[in-house]
Amino acid sequence: MAVTAADAVRVVAVADTHVPARARDLPPAVWRAVDDADLVVHAGDWVDEDLLDAFERRATRLLACHGNNDPAGLVARVPEVATATVAGVRVGVVHETGAAGGRERRCDERFADLDLLVFGHSHVPWDSVTPRGTRLLNPGSPTDRRRQPACTYLTFTLRDGAVEDVVLHRLPLRAPARRRPGSGSTKAPGPR
């Protein structure tokens, strides 16, 4: 049987959004991707329940977990690990997987029943496959690049039991916040 475009599930994956702690809102490109996706996967560290509410309003379908920076109300609404079978792919999402060294082995032990695990926490994009064949993806962060060259998110397609067309999207650097009049230092200017 031929696979049609209707069988494909377009996915956008984000993590570590940290709104409003790191940004007032998500970049417009991320919201457009959310609006266009069949499934949105969020790997935790939302930081505020208002952002979860916005994703629930805008996403066609949301698969999400909480992170270590999320408040109790948000933790009560989304699990530590969320799973679903989508287009024949057993998908999971979790915030933390530990240090990069040994990640594949640990994920094989903890998530042996998954084909795909999306995770966050490090803000570092990641794409690898465990010895058992589980695909591990970290979308980075769309708002807090830390030591990465750019803020990022992922898109990919789930089709007929496979993960296809994985694309890491690099967002343009944001301009630094402008100082408001009167918000500067109280120190007297130095000699000219």
Side-chain angles (χ1 to χ4, degrees):
M1 179 174 162
V3 176
T4 66
D7 298 316
V9 176
R10 296 166 303 165
V11 183
V12 62
V14 296
D16 300 287
T17 45
H18 291 274
V19 171
R22 298 283 189 239
R24 290 187 186 122
D25 197 3
L26 294 180
V30 175
W31 281 125
R32 284 191 299 274
V34 167
D35 292 341
D36 292 342
D38 301 311
L39 171 66
V40 176
V41 179
H42 193 301
D45 270 8
W46 309 72
V47 180
D48 190 272
E49 283 187 79
D50 289 343
L51 187 62
L52 174 57
D53 294 338
F55 269 84
E56 288 178 336
R57 284 190 303 273
R58 292 180 80 152
T60 300
R61 182 175 178 190
L62 180 63
L63 183 65
C65 67
H66 65 260
N68 60 302
N69 284 301
D70 292 326
L74 197 146
V75 169
R77 292 174 59 186
V78 292
E80 178 183 3
V81 178
T83 62
T85 300
V86 182
V89 179
R90 297 169 302 169
V91 180
V93 59
V94 67
H95 186 62
E96 294 187 55
T97 59
R103 176 173 285 141
E104 285 81 6
R105 178 190 48 76
R106 285 190 312 275
C107 288
D108 264 350
E109 291 169 2
R110 185 172 176 202
F111 303 105
D113 59 338
L114 296 179
D115 302 310
L116 169 65
L117 178 67
V118 178
F119 66 97
H121 189 60
S122 67
H123 299 217
V124 176
W126 186 276
D127 185 349
S128 68
V129 178
T130 71
R132 287 188 185 165
T134 301
R135 184 85 175 257
L136 303 179
L137 296 174
N138 184 327
S141 171
T143 59
D144 185 8
R145 65 186 177 100
R146 290 192 182 163
R147 293 173 298 280
Q148 298 303 302
C151 291
T152 56
Y153 68 99
L154 284 171
T155 58
F156 52 90
T157 302
L158 301 176
R159 181 189 346 253
D160 195 28
V163 180
E164 303 174 345
D165 307 319
V166 176
V167 177
L168 180 68
H169 299 269
R170 290 172 176 80
L171 295 160
L173 294 177
R174 293 182 307 212
R178 294 190 312 189
R179 296 179 101 166
R180 289 177 278 163
S183 66
S185 172
T186 57
K187 293 181 179 178
R192 297 188 181 190

